Amino acid sequence: MHCGADTVGAAVNQKQLSASMASAEKLPLSDVDATAKAESIQEACRQRDFVALVKLATSTGGLLTDELRRQASPAQPEHSNQHQWRSLPRHPDEDQVQLDVDRAFVYYPKDESEQSLGQKKAELFELIVSALRSYPILSYFQSYHDVVQVLLLVLGKHQAMPAVPRISLLRLRDYMLPTITPATKHFELVSAVVMAADPELANHIAQAENIFALSATHSLFAHDIYDYGDIARLYDFLLAHEPIMSIYLFAAVTISRRSELLEMPADQSDILTFVISKLPQTFNIDARIQDAVTLFRHHPPQRLPGFIWWRLSRYSVLKTSRCIKQPQSLEEAEILCRKQIQQFHSHEVMRKRALLLYRYRKPAASMTAVILVGIFSIWLRKTGHDRILWSMISTATTFFSTLR
């Protein structure tokens, strides 16, 4: 069951996917339209109309302002104690967190005093460390601070405190496991979406490493978009939909660059990987959002080529957080996280055993033959058939001797 893109189905034009995915450029909202939309957002917040809020977050301009975003943010009473985390054991990744926080807020907010930036960095550190200490099963990754930074600026520290654990366990969990390996399937999904929508482009960039989607997808684009208004608007869309929508958005951006990419040599994999991984500094976010929704509707995860969706772990956040209207509790998400880690460890043990068996396949085959011969010999002696065998060998030897 998924409740993200389906809720905006009626609001999205059923345009046919062309090979170029060329969307009509969206004009900015006029003052009159913006005022009317703001009133619609406030009314949807008062009514707690989830479907309406999803449509408004997806349509041009998103939720418009941080004040409206704070109103639209769901109340999250659980884990709202902002001081309890201080008494919890230190998380192993806190030193790296501090290093990343020290270089945060580079592009936004602008025109802030050193004192104000210092205060924001202290709050950012608290938000990250409180989540990690409360859920030590999670591992920190670089660019996680970019995500939390956006939440802090949009929601403020008080509202962001319960929001950070939720986005960590219900959206970013696959990237917060002890290793990035399980999340590599996310990158294969990007390639599968491109293949489904634009086979020519997919074949042309097939030599590029799937890792090109890492930076954008695991930071929910916060690491690659430098304008605060753009990233806040993009988060309106991403947080209103299921986690896999970030995959479709990256695929939509990639397809929108097909002319540029098709001009590049297909055998230059390093260059292709680098170019695809770097988002255009300016691109029409609203147009790409509509492209992503259209891609999702025409090529849902279950129908992507290569059965990639079915090869994804059943504990992956992409599968377990599909319905954001009725999200799991943090306790349920933590249990899924533990199961996902256990599953990964089991697969790793099996993989290493298979690799070891393959490496020593010839000695193993010889040893198996020796063991089988030994077992056969013991069986012959116990059953008395060894005398018959030796008699047959003796007779055969005598026979061949007479032939000489």
Side-chain angles (χ1 to χ4, degrees):
M1 178 174 62
H2 48 93
C3 311
D6 285 352
T7 60
V8 293
V12 177
N13 293 329
Q14 291 300 305
K15 58 185 178 182
Q16 293 297 319
L17 285 174
S18 66
S20 63
M21 276 287 293
S23 297
E25 294 299 305
K26 303 290 190 290
L27 296 175
L29 289 174
S30 66
D31 291 342
V32 174
D33 290 339
T35 300
K37 185 173 187 180
E39 292 174 354
S40 297
I41 294 171
Q42 290 175 327
E43 179 61 23
C45 290
R46 284 192 293 269
Q47 299 294 329
R48 306 312 300 173
D49 189 337
F50 174 82
V51 173
L53 282 172
V54 169
K55 291 180 180 179
L56 290 163
T58 304
S59 61
T60 302
L63 298 179
L64 300 179
T65 69
D66 286 351
E67 181 181 354
L68 291 173
R69 292 177 180 115
R70 286 190 285 271
Q71 292 181 36
S73 179
Q76 298 166 341
E78 55 182 324
H79 299 276
S80 58
N81 189 323
Q82 300 194 25
H83 303 288
Q84 182 181 5
W85 64 271
R86 298 180 187 277
S87 61
L88 297 175
R90 178 182 170 86
H91 191 279
D93 296 332
E94 289 186 28
D95 288 340
Q96 183 60 53
V97 172
Q98 187 64 68
L99 291 174
D100 288 345
V101 167
D102 287 342
R103 51 177 177 260
F105 302 105
V106 174
Y107 300 105
Y108 50 79
K110 297 179 179 179
D111 302 322
E112 290 278 318
S113 66
E114 287 296 323
Q115 181 179 1
S116 177
L117 283 178
Q119 178 63 30
K120 284 183 171 59
K121 288 180 179 180
E123 292 176 347
L124 179 60
F125 181 81
E126 289 187 13
L127 287 173
I128 295 174
V129 172
S130 66
L132 293 177
R133 288 190 184 182
S134 298
Y135 299 94
I137 194 172
L138 297 175
S139 298
Y140 176 79
F141 64 87
Q142 289 183 290
S143 292
Y144 178 75
H145 74 287
D146 293 315
V147 178
V148 180
Q149 174 179 297
V150 176
L151 297 179
L152 171 61
L153 293 176
V154 171
L155 299 176
K157 179 185 173 183
H158 181 75
Q159 273 188 274
M161 186 65 76
V164 172
R166 295 199 66 81
I167 201 171
S168 303
L169 283 164
L170 299 178
R171 287 187 175 272
L172 299 175
R173 188 175 71 236
D174 289 5
Y175 297 104
M176 303 188 76
L177 302 176
T179 171
I180 194 69
T181 302
T184 55
K185 288 288 190 297
H186 293 215
F187 315 141
E188 295 180 38
L189 281 165
V190 173
S191 298
V193 174
V194 177
M195 175 61 75
D198 192 338
E200 180 187 3
L201 176 61
N203 289 326
H204 185 78
I205 65 175
Q207 297 302 315
E209 297 288 340
N210 283 331
I211 200 76
F212 56 59
L214 173 62
S215 177
T217 54
H218 83 324
S219 70
L220 300 181
F221 293 82
H223 187 71
D224 298 272
I225 293 180
Y226 306 140
D227 180 82
Y228 175 68
D230 287 344
I231 191 60
R233 186 272 169 274
L234 193 59
Y235 270 43
D236 294 342
F237 166 68
L238 292 177
L239 299 184
H241 293 267
E242 61 183 272
I244 200 173
M245 195 56 78
S246 63
I247 301 293
Y248 280 84
L249 180 61
F250 191 90
V253 173
T254 302
I255 294 172
S256 73
R257 304 170 66 189
R258 78 182 312 270
S259 297
E260 171 193 359
L261 296 175
L262 288 176
E263 290 177 357
M264 301 178 63
D267 58 351
Q268 300 291 325
S269 60
D270 291 345
I271 298 177
L272 276 173
T273 302
F274 176 79
V275 171
I276 298 172
S277 68
K278 298 298 180 183
L279 296 182
Q281 287 303 301
T282 57
F283 67 95
N284 191 312
I285 291 179
D286 284 307
R288 298 293 82 79
I289 284 174
Q290 298 308 315
D291 287 345
V293 173
T294 303
L295 278 173
F296 183 90
R297 290 181 58 80
H298 284 261
H299 307 286
Q302 302 93 322
R303 297 211 302 264
L304 291 176
F307 300 100
I308 180 62
W309 178 253
W310 306 108
R311 292 190 284 117
L312 194 68
S313 168
R314 61 177 175 170
Y315 303 120
S316 168
V317 72
L318 298 184
K319 288 187 174 180
T320 61
S321 296
R322 299 211 66 187
C323 186
I324 61 173
K325 186 176 182 179
Q326 297 176 326
Q328 300 156 336
S329 68
L330 296 185
E331 289 72 19
E332 291 172 327
E334 188 176 15
I335 291 172
L336 289 170
C337 185
R338 295 186 186 282
K339 289 182 177 180
Q340 194 171 3
I341 293 173
Q342 291 172 358
Q343 183 186 61
F344 171 73
H345 287 326
S346 297
H347 288 175
E348 276 296 287
V349 169
M350 293 175 62
R351 185 187 66 82
K352 290 178 180 178
R353 287 177 178 173
L355 183 62
L356 188 65
L357 184 61
Y358 177 79
R359 182 178 300 171
Y360 295 104
R361 62 192 182 280
K362 291 183 179 179
S366 301
M367 182 62 69
T368 301
V370 170
I371 293 173
L372 289 175
V373 170
I375 293 173
F376 184 62
S377 300
I378 294 172
W379 177 79
L380 287 174
R381 294 188 64 181
K382 284 187 175 182
T383 58
H385 289 92
D386 58 326
R387 296 188 184 91
I388 299 174
L389 179 62
W390 285 116
S391 176
M392 292 173 61
I393 293 174
S394 177
T395 301
T397 302
T398 303
F399 173 75
F400 285 112
S401 296
T402 58
L403 291 178
R404 293 179 182 177

